[in-house]
Amino acid sequence: MQLGTPDICDQYREKLQVFPPVFKSYGGCKSVAAQIETLKIYQDNAMFWEVLRQPGLGRVLFVDAGADYSAVMGDKMAVIAVENGWYGMVINGYIRDTAIIKTLPLAVWALGSCPMKGTMVSEAKLAVNLSFQSINIEPGMYVYADEDGVLLSQETFTEFDDIFNQQHRLISKN
């Protein structure tokens, strides 16, 4: 039996925030359990590139791109994320190059896809509290995500970590 986000909800309901079902899964990994980092941008993905070039340390990057309809991430950024040890991303915005991204050992959730990338004209802020989709997100929280949904918690549920990251390890070896 495969355990997933429904099992976490059954056991830890009071300790969770559950995202509404607006995010689509695009990565090659369909589940992830990791600590998070946060980034706030608007159409400008220059800082996003910079963050992905830093050691990911098995974390998931939450990016608030303001749900603007332009892509803030593509295949080249996804490859850099994998090379630097990021496990995944949850993007309040859009991505492109989805056919390639789904082949990578990376968990990616976004609002959708858009072939047009944004401009590089605005500021970005790293390691800030975010709020999107009525969810409050802080650096250092923990994410548990799979095909059933995206969950956030202030604490880790270690009994689920290996199960959620098993696919990541298998794809990474190939």
Side-chain angles (χ1 to χ4, degrees):
M1 179 171 88
Q2 179 72 22
L3 296 175
T5 54
D7 302 291
I8 295 173
C9 288
D10 291 349
Q11 193 167 343
Y12 295 105
R13 179 183 195 100
E14 323 73 48
K15 297 180 179 186
L16 298 170
Q17 295 185 77
V18 180
F19 277 90
V22 296
F23 293 98
K24 297 175 186 162
S25 176
Y26 289 99
C29 291
K30 299 299 180 191
S31 65
V32 69
Q35 194 167 32
I36 69 168
E37 181 57 88
T38 61
L39 177 65
K40 184 165 183 68
I41 61 175
Y42 182 72
Q43 292 187 343
D44 180 357
N45 69 357
M47 173 74 99
F48 196 174
W49 279 91
E50 190 175 314
V51 170
L52 294 179
R53 287 184 177 110
Q54 299 171 11
L57 307 172
R59 294 176 293 171
V60 170
L61 183 61
F62 272 68
V63 180
D64 185 357
D68 182 62
Y69 190 59
S70 61
V72 295
M73 187 190 80
D75 60 336
K76 293 174 184 152
M77 292 175 74
V79 168
I80 289 170
V82 170
E83 289 171 349
N84 288 306
W86 290 93
Y87 270 21
M89 287 164 251
V90 176
I91 302 170
N92 185 37
Y94 296 82
I95 65 171
R96 64 189 201 165
D97 304 313
T98 59
I100 296 169
I101 291 171
K102 73 180 177 183
T103 67
L104 299 173
L106 189 67
V108 178
W109 283 265
L111 294 177
S113 62
C114 175
M116 181 71 71
K117 67 180 176 179
T119 60
M120 294 193 180
V121 295
S122 62
E123 292 184 25
K125 296 177 183 174
L126 180 63
V128 295
N129 291 350
L130 303 176
S131 180
F132 56 82
Q133 301 297 328
S134 301
I135 302 291
N136 296 316
I137 306 148
E138 302 169 17
M141 292 179 83
Y142 294 88
V143 61
Y144 292 86
D146 62 15
E147 293 176 311
D148 285 320
V150 179
L151 312 173
L152 277 182
S153 175
Q154 290 287 352
E155 59 188 82
T156 184
F157 310 122
T158 55
E159 67 271 31
F160 291 97
D161 290 352
D162 285 341
I163 295 164
F164 273 70
N165 292 324
Q166 182 178 24
Q167 185 184 24
H168 178 82
R169 288 189 300 276
L170 290 174
I171 293 173
S172 294
K173 288 180 183 177
N174 296 334

